[in-house]
Amino acid sequence: MNGNATSQRLDFIDILYTVGIFSVIWGHSHPSDWSLFPPNLINLFYAFHMPLFFFIAGYLFMTSKGIEKDGYFAWIRKKAIRLLTPFFFLSAVCFLPKYYVEFHSFTNLSCSYFLRTIAIPRENIWGHLWYCPVLFLLYLILGAIYSLQKNCIQNKCRIAISLGILLTSCVLFFVPLSTEWLGVNDLCNFSIYFIVGMLIADPILRLSSTSPFPDRFLSVLSVLLLAVGVVLFFSDFYYTKAGKFFTAAIFIFGFLLLSKKRAGSSFCYFFSKNTFTFYLYSWSFQALVELLLKHIEMAWYFTMPLMFAAGVLGPIIILLIYKKAVFLHQKPIKLILGICE
């Protein structure tokens, strides 16, 4: 792979990450009472933002060559530290405040309740943190399979393993294991996007280095409008398993087309580099703003943009403080803040 191809790859990943994190922040920018606003405003973003993140993770898993460089066990140890440190830290630090806000007392507080929030990521203190253990489990499982695949001498064996994990992910997606423990249900729902990202990484890389993706504006617009149309006008289909996969796949394809015809920018690089920080901390600022606006009974069409602004500006403030305060430049702080340097 030549240097030019590498630059293009990083540019389009930066754009995809920027689209993804802005979509996540907007997806969290709503009053807790869903009856107060048009739900389709949120459904448009929930239709693709987490599938997009898992797709990117699968693509980078195949192109970063981290396992080859470090070996499986050292590589998975780095993933565990990176993903699980903020998960456990934030769960522990925020447990008591969140419990009191929810129940208004500590009367029924118990260790079993805390352990439940760890073992069932969707019930965690910060519910969106489910992404961390689920992504780690995917790395744990697929990293081991990938290492096994690399040891296969025959190409047929490698193809069989690839087809096997794709078929397994399809079965788990359409017939999921219905348990929230250890994030298994989310693993079933999102592993297919990770695996698709893995399997098409090489074709994307080859195409980017030989010929450009379609660069007509209408091609991108048509694909994205198709996906939007499914969510808005074919809701019965969208809420089926096939509909959700189809819609997410069309969105991802549209954003791939969009990112491939755009040059990178410092704006996208900033949000791509700090995506994990925005993902971890945007919600806390949004929740605070929602509480304040709910107290004064502000209408949803003012609440949502203000929550979105808080979700963007809050992590930026954290990053600026970190940059200025040199004494914070310690590995544990970086891990907790989700900073990648």
Side-chain angles (χ1 to χ4, degrees), residues 6 11 40 163 178 198 230 234 253 292 307 316 327 334:
T6 303
D11 283 350
N40 280 342
L163 291 176
S178 55
M198 287 175 56
V230 171
F234 298 94
F253 179 62
L292 295 174
M307 287 180 67
I316 289 177
F327 69 91
K334 293 179 183 179

Side-chain angles (χ1 to χ4, degrees), residues 26-27 29-31 33-46 231-232 239 299-302 304:
W26 178 253
S29 301
H30 59 79
D33 185 351
W34 283 59
S35 66
L36 297 177
F37 63 97
N40 280 342
L41 285 177
I42 302 300
N43 286 340
L44 281 174
F45 294 90
Y46 273 85
V231 177
L232 296 182
Y239 283 111
W300 67 267
Y301 41 82
F302 291 117
M304 293 181 74

Side-chain angles (χ1 to χ4, degrees), residues 196-336:
V196 169
M198 287 175 56
L199 296 182
I200 70 171
D202 188 58
I204 290 176
L205 212 54
R206 289 178 185 274
L207 186 58
S208 68
S209 62
T210 57
S211 60
F213 270 44
D215 60 357
R216 294 181 181 178
F217 174 75
L218 286 179
S219 64
V220 177
L221 184 64
S222 299
V223 170
L224 293 178
L225 283 179
L226 172 62
V228 170
V230 171
V231 177
L232 296 182
F233 304 112
F234 298 94
S235 57
D236 289 342
F237 173 64
Y238 168 68
Y239 283 111
T240 65
K241 278 287 186 177
K244 285 187 177 294
F245 178 76
F246 173 80
T247 307
I250 294 299
F251 267 120
I252 291 171
F253 179 62
F255 290 127
L256 268 175
L257 292 179
L258 177 67
S259 65
K260 280 295 186 177
K261 60 172 288 190
R262 298 284 179 182
S265 67
S266 57
F267 177 86
C268 289
Y269 175 75
F270 171 78
F271 282 97
S272 174
K273 180 182 177 182
N274 298 298
T275 291
F276 199 34
T277 301
F278 279 91
Y279 186 85
L280 290 174
Y281 291 98
S282 59
W283 176 82
S284 57
F285 291 94
Q286 292 175 289
L288 179 60
V289 168
E290 187 205 356
L291 285 174
L292 295 174
L293 298 181
K294 185 178 181 180
H295 182 70
I296 61 176
E297 299 182 349
M298 184 170 283
W300 67 267
Y301 41 82
F302 291 117
T303 298
M304 293 181 74
L306 289 173
M307 287 180 67
F308 177 80
V312 174
L313 295 176
I316 289 177
I317 292 171
I318 289 176
L319 291 167
L320 288 175
I321 292 173
Y322 173 82
K323 184 177 180 180
K324 297 293 183 181
V326 180
F327 69 91
L328 294 176
H329 295 189
Q330 307 295 326
K331 185 175 180 180
I333 302 297
K334 293 179 183 179
L335 290 170
I336 291 167

